[in-house]
Amino acid sequence: SGNTDAKIKLPSAGGIYESDGSTPVLTESGGVVSLGSGVALPDGSVLQIKSAVTSAYAEISGNYPNNDVIPVKTGGGEVITQAITASDSSNTFLIVANISGSPATNDFCSIALFKDDDTNAIAAIGHSAGGNDYQMSPLTLVCKNVAGSTDEITYKVRAGCTGFNFQVNGDGPARKLGGVAATTLTIYEIKGGI
C-alpha cells in the first residue's frame, strides 16, 4: 500500500562487518554512514559528481568560424569551468555542458569543451539561428574523457558565433527567465570505462 523506510541499527562497535568480523561493510562516524574499505563498487558506478552553475548574463565577443576546423582555446570566450580529481586514472569522466544563450543576431554559434590548457577542443557542437529565430535556446554537449591521471583536471566551456556576439543566459541583450534558465557544467566520475 505504500513504501516504508528501511532502517538499520549499527552495532555499538560502529559498523556492520562480514561474517569474519574483520572486514567492514558499513561504518558510521559522527552520524555519517560510509561503505567499508572492503566493498568494491562495480564498473559503471558513479563515484563523484562536480557541478558549476551560473545564471548571470554575459555577452561573449570572441568568435568561432562555421567551418571544418577544431575550435581552439583562443577563439570564442570562456563561459563556465569546473575542476575534478579522479580517484583512479583508469576512470572515465562523463561531461555534460548545457549553455543557454543566443546570438546577437542571426548567426551560427558553437560551444567547445577544453581540458586544462590544451589548445584544441575535445568536443564541440553548433547551432544556426536563421532569419529572426535567434531567441535564447540551449546548446547541450555531452562528452566522455578518460581521466588518465589522478591530478586535478579543469574542464572549460567556451562559446562564440561566426560574426556576432553570443549572449549567455539571455537575448535581446538581457537575462531571461529570472535566472532559472542557468548555464551548467556537470562532470560525473564513472568507475572504469563507459
Side-chain angles (χ1 to χ4, degrees):
S1 66
N3 293 331
T4 59
D5 292 333
K7 296 183 180 181
I8 299 174
K9 179 161 176 57
L10 296 178
S12 60
I16 296 177
Y17 294 83
E18 288 186 6
S19 59
D20 66 5
S22 64
T23 306
V25 176
L26 291 176
T27 59
E28 183 274 333
S29 176
V32 176
V33 177
S34 303
L35 289 175
S37 58
V39 177
L41 294 172
D43 282 356
S45 297
V46 175
L47 302 177
Q48 67 171 314
I49 301 171
K50 297 287 186 177
S51 184
V53 178
T54 180
S55 60
Y57 174 81
E59 193 148 337
I60 307 286
S61 60
N63 301 119
Y64 277 131
N66 181 11
N67 59 21
D68 191 25
V69 176
I70 295 172
V72 294
K73 70 178 181 179
T74 55
E78 192 168 276
V79 176
I80 195 166
T81 67
Q82 179 60 57
I84 190 167
T85 303
S87 57
D88 189 289
S89 63
S90 66
N91 291 340
T92 301
F93 294 130
L94 179 64
I95 305 133
V96 181
N98 188 50
I99 311 302
S100 294
S102 74
T105 188
N106 57 328
D107 203 352
F108 178 85
C109 298
S110 56
I111 61 172
L113 177 68
F114 295 86
K115 177 181 171 186
D116 290 328
D117 288 323
D118 292 354
T119 299
N120 290 331
I122 61 173
I125 191 165
H127 171 73
S128 183
N132 290 323
D133 187 25
Y134 47 89
Q135 287 79 30
M136 185 176 72
S137 61
L139 281 169
T140 301
L141 181 147
V142 179
C143 175
K144 68 178 184 175
N145 190 243
V146 175
S149 79
T150 55
D151 295 334
E152 182 179 80
I153 296 171
T154 301
Y155 290 96
K156 307 166 186 179
V157 177
R158 299 180 69 83
C161 297
T162 302
F164 296 93
N165 292 348
F166 183 79
Q167 301 166 336
V168 180
N169 293 326
D171 63 36
R175 187 179 77 172
K176 300 294 183 193
L177 303 174
V180 297
T183 286
T184 61
L185 176 59
T186 306
I187 307 168
Y188 303 84
E189 181 184 1
I190 311 292
K191 184 176 179 186
I194 52 172

